[in-house]
Amino acid sequence: MQTIDIQTLTRKNIAQLEPYSSARDEYKGKEGIFLDANENAFGSVVEVENLKLNRYPDPYQTALKERLAEIWGISPNQIFLGNGSDEAIDLLIRAFCEPKQDHILICPPTYGMYQVSAEIQNVALQKVNLTPDFQLDTQTILQTFTPQTKLIFLCSPNNPTGNLLALHDIEIVLQNYTHGLVIIDEAYIDFCENPTLQQSLLVKYPNLVLLRTFSKAWGMAALRLGAALANSEIIQILNKIKPPYNINELTQHFALQALQSEKIARKEMFVKKIKQQKTILVDSLVKFQFIEYIYPSDANFLLVKVKNAQDLFAYLIKKQIIVRNRSNVVLCENCLRITIGTAHENAMLLQVLAQYDGVQ
Ligand SMILES: *Cc1c(COP(=O)(O)O)cnc(C)c1O
């Protein structure tokens, strides 16, 4: 294990910050007459199961983290929970990057929120494009980062390209970059063959952060729950600057339900069905004339290169089938990103595409 002093990586004002202390921080007992948080003691105007919606939720999501820790084989203090993993992205940038001074490094084409969150914080971007086969250009990454580069965002499986990054390349970055954090966004990790490989790096690299979300495989996008997994010092810093009650009671309650074994099995069943549908879709798509290339996918979507993406995109919209046009994104010329739908939805898509193919 490398030694890295996380405190010195943190922005000075954040390291010195005295965090907000909520009512639930100052008294942690569960029994008693609670007259400390200005809640409505009579009840809530809305009722959901037996939930006490009139009370503020647990600010540190203790029960949920304990269950997640058990499932992921790490300690609860290595888990930060966010209002979607987008919140973790935003807090990482705010905790570690001094505005107008520090940089983050990203590898386009990739997820758009890294750039947006950095720009909101007035943090400059360094961009090292992926190679033509969408892998890390490690040599250029090592030549590009500077002492002001505080975070390197990698996304594996990557959005919008769909592929895993080679573990070997990720390790080259980790071995050579020790003055900031490496973040691997694992939003689509449930769809790949070996979902725990990247996590095995956590024990070796104290500056590694993994991001996970319940929005994709788990089918809980509406609940807004994401996680950062990292060593406890990094997690403490994120906890210090997060909004006190960032995970609401409904989300904590339903996420705990989702982690019961029969619900986990349900997620696995969804993943299996999505993979089956992906194979069916690929096998049918390759037969169309307008398809130039279907990129290999470790995720729940396909990136496809077509003859004329703008034309096909507009045609599909007219047929009320909405896909993502990624053709303006670097290295993704004439590419559409298609999320795997249900068997029925995919059949409809193929039917409409067959008509399009016929008139080309
Ligand atoms: C969808 C997605 C997210 C967003 O996750 P939320 O938990 O819904 O905020 C994060 N990263 C990538 C790469 C994604 O595609």
Side-chain angles (χ1 to χ4, degrees):
M1 177 112 161
Q2 298 172 342
T3 52
I4 291 174
D5 184 1
I6 300 299
Q7 289 304 319
T8 63
L9 298 184
T10 313
R11 286 170 66 199
K12 255 202 197 70
N13 65 313
I14 300 295
Q16 292 164 358
L17 177 78
E18 186 64 48
Y20 175 74
S21 184
S22 70
R24 290 294 165 271
D25 275 323
E26 294 185 6
Y27 182 81
K28 293 202 165 76
K30 288 217 163 73
E31 303 299 323
I33 296 173
F34 287 92
L35 306 175
D36 60 346
N38 299 348
E39 298 148 337
N40 182 340
F42 290 82
S44 170
V45 296
V46 288
E47 282 174 24
V48 180
E49 299 184 15
N50 288 322
L51 299 179
K52 291 196 180 117
L53 295 182
N54 56 325
R55 298 295 179 183
Y56 281 105
D58 175 2
Y60 297 108
Q61 311 97 26
T62 317
L64 184 51
K65 280 181 187 169
E66 274 171 14
R67 182 71 184 120
L68 279 168
E70 191 176 17
I71 291 167
W72 288 339
I74 54 174
S75 150
N77 65 15
Q78 292 180 284
I79 301 173
F80 166 82
L81 294 177
N83 186 359
S85 47
D86 286 349
E87 183 175 39
I89 294 167
D90 181 60
L91 292 181
L92 282 162
I93 293 174
R94 288 203 277 152
F96 293 98
C97 301
E98 200 60 51
K100 295 200 262 181
Q101 178 182 314
D102 292 332
H103 313 302
I104 68 163
L105 190 151
I106 64 171
C107 300
T110 193
Y111 186 51
M113 279 308 289
Y114 316 135
Q115 172 154 359
V116 172
S117 290
E119 285 174 349
I120 289 169
Q121 171 75 358
N122 214 349
V123 165
L125 287 135
Q126 297 172 302
K127 296 184 180 180
V128 177
N129 287 352
L130 295 174
T131 61
D133 61 346
F134 298 145
Q135 290 297 325
L136 294 176
D137 177 353
T138 51
Q139 213 177 348
T140 310
I141 292 174
L142 300 193
Q143 287 164 359
T144 302
F145 67 70
T146 65
Q148 269 64 56
T149 309
K150 294 299 173 68
L151 304 174
I152 297 182
F153 280 92
L154 309 177
C155 185
S156 179
N158 187 40
N159 179 5
T161 63
N163 62 295
L164 277 166
L165 302 175
L167 199 64
H168 171 78
D169 292 339
I170 294 175
E171 278 217 75
I172 291 179
V173 175
L174 282 162
Q175 277 160 5
N176 289 281
Y177 172 76
T178 53
H179 63 271
L181 307 185
V182 175
I183 296 139
I184 309 179
D185 187 337
E186 295 193 324
Y188 300 97
I189 200 68
D190 298 273
F191 301 103
C192 77
E193 288 308 313
N194 285 310
T196 58
L197 274 187
Q198 290 171 168
Q199 191 184 321
S200 67
L201 299 172
L202 268 186
V203 288
K204 246 163 116 183
Y205 300 100
N207 59 336
L208 175 62
V209 181
L210 301 180
L211 298 180
R212 292 190 181 155
T213 178
F214 285 80
S215 301
K216 309 286 159 66
W218 293 86
M220 292 161 63
L223 285 181
R224 310 303 302 129
L225 184 65
L229 288 66
N231 87 59
S232 58
E233 275 188 277
I234 296 174
I235 300 304
Q236 265 170 31
I237 291 162
L238 296 179
N239 279 335
K240 196 165 136 171
I241 66 171
K242 79 181 183 72
Y245 303 108
N246 63 327
I247 310 296
N248 72 70
E249 181 64 16
L250 293 173
T251 300
Q252 293 191 43
H253 174 76
F254 288 111
L256 258 174
Q257 262 190 28
L259 299 174
Q260 293 164 359
S261 53
E262 75 268 19
K263 298 289 177 5
I264 296 175
R266 188 143 192 236
K267 184 218 33 171
E268 295 303 331
M269 179 273 294
F270 281 137
V271 167
K272 207 169 131 195
K273 283 193 173 172
I274 289 165
K275 283 180 177 172
Q276 279 169 355
Q277 284 302 314
K278 185 165 66 176
T279 307
I280 293 171
L281 208 51
V282 170
D283 291 349
S284 306
L285 285 173
V286 287
K287 294 176 188 145
F288 293 131
Q289 299 295 316
F290 64 84
I291 295 277
E292 296 278 330
Y293 190 66
I294 303 168
Y295 291 92
S297 166
D298 299 293
N300 64 339
F301 58 85
L302 292 172
L303 187 73
V304 296
K305 192 181 274 296
V306 299
K307 291 232 160 74
N308 185 336
Q310 186 48 46
D311 186 61
L312 178 55
F313 179 73
Y315 168 81
L316 286 173
I317 293 273
K318 256 196 294 185
K319 301 283 181 181
Q320 290 197 317
I321 296 180
I322 302 94
V323 299
R324 201 87 201 265
N325 186 357
R326 297 283 76 184
S327 45
N328 291 329
V329 172
V330 62
L331 296 177
C332 294
E333 201 186 329
N334 275 320
C335 285
L336 299 180
R337 193 193 70 191
I338 306 173
T339 306
I340 309 300
T342 62
H344 175 70
E345 290 170 336
N346 298 333
M348 298 284 284
L349 170 70
L350 288 169
Q351 191 188 336
V352 163
L353 287 177
Q355 288 167 11
Y356 180 82
D357 204 42
V359 298
Q360 290 304 294

